[in-house]
Amino acid sequence: MKVGLLFGSFNPIHTGHLILANYMATNTDLDTVWLVVSPQNPFKPSNTLLHEFDRLHMVSLAIADNPNLGVSNIEFSMPKPSYTIDTLTYLQEKYPSYEFVLIMGEDNLALFPKWKNYERILEYHQVYVYPRSGSVLEEVAAFPNMKFVKAPILDISATFIRQCIREEKSIKYMVPDEIIDYIKVHKLYS
């Protein structure tokens, strides 16, 4: 089984995440894509993050009707902040017959050499890179095991969605309706 891993805060999950994950699961050689909810990204401040179980629940709601997608809370029980290499190592030990592929936005390539043990990621795993705004460093793009996938570009950000919620503006179509309902019922991000 070839599993694509899309890591993220998903704070909240939005249409851009869902379209990308589904595209990768149905238009590449991946058998499935797991959305890995990260409790804390080492490059992002944690004070703006909603509780990890709320974010996990929203991802579960958003993908419930899609058999090509799964959700993982694997990092919840790992030391924080979470590092991709540690998660990949743990998953490979837990599922030795699976092949795990990291899915990454082109905008993250500039930081990739600063990731913990990024060389080991490239040695043992493929990295599928999807387009994002921003330039690609040629030396990073030339790394082995990187595959560039022409996925749709959607410039939607969770930061913008949270700002809209605080300003009481509509987020319709940016997030699934069940996520809008969950946010309203639980009075999140206001």
Side-chain angles (χ1 to χ4, degrees):
M1 171 106 87
K2 195 168 186 178
V3 179
L5 300 174
L6 180 59
F7 289 80
S9 301
F10 304 113
N11 190 35
I13 187 161
H14 56 68
T15 307
H17 297 131
L18 296 167
I19 290 172
L20 172 66
N22 188 65
Y23 182 89
M24 290 295 200
T26 58
N27 292 281
T28 67
D29 60 346
L30 298 174
D31 295 305
T32 185
V33 171
W34 294 354
L35 290 92
V36 181
V37 180
S38 299
Q40 183 187 345
N41 179 321
F43 294 108
K44 291 184 180 178
S46 61
N47 61 344
T48 61
L49 281 178
L50 197 62
H51 192 278
E52 58 213 39
F53 288 106
D54 282 315
R55 293 182 284 123
L56 178 72
H57 187 68
M58 286 191 284
V59 173
S60 296
L61 286 173
I63 67 166
D65 65 347
N66 190 333
N68 298 312
L69 304 180
V71 61
S72 174
N73 65 354
I74 197 83
E75 292 189 336
F76 288 19
S77 60
M78 297 177 71
K80 293 168 187 63
S82 19
Y83 294 96
T84 303
I85 186 60
D86 298 334
T87 306
L88 287 167
T89 302
Y90 182 77
L91 283 169
Q92 203 63 73
E93 289 171 1
K94 188 171 181 173
Y95 304 99
S97 64
Y98 288 17
E99 179 183 351
F100 291 101
V101 174
L102 177 62
I103 299 171
M104 173 192 306
E106 200 171 33
D107 54 334
N108 286 316
L109 287 181
L111 282 178
F112 189 63
K114 295 181 182 195
W115 287 24
K116 178 182 176 185
N117 297 336
Y118 79 95
E119 303 95 338
R120 283 191 50 223
I121 294 173
L122 292 171
E123 183 178 348
Y124 296 105
H125 302 278
Q126 286 185 293
V127 179
Y128 287 11
V129 181
Y130 60 91
R132 290 289 299 241
S133 54
S135 59
V136 178
L137 302 175
E138 302 232 354
E139 64 272 14
V140 178
F143 282 147
N145 273 338
M146 289 227 174
K147 176 180 178 178
F148 288 81
V149 178
K150 295 227 180 262
I153 300 174
L154 291 160
D155 195 15
I156 300 172
S157 79
T159 303
F160 178 73
I161 292 167
R162 291 192 305 272
Q163 178 184 338
C164 287
I165 294 167
R166 282 191 302 273
E167 295 173 0
E168 298 181 4
K169 294 179 180 174
S170 173
I171 57 170
K172 183 123 180 105
Y173 306 118
M174 289 187 274
V175 299
D177 289 342
E178 56 270 19
I179 305 306
I180 293 173
D181 293 343
Y182 186 84
I183 289 169
K184 284 181 182 174
V185 167
H186 296 282
K187 297 177 174 58
L188 304 176
Y189 303 115
S190 44

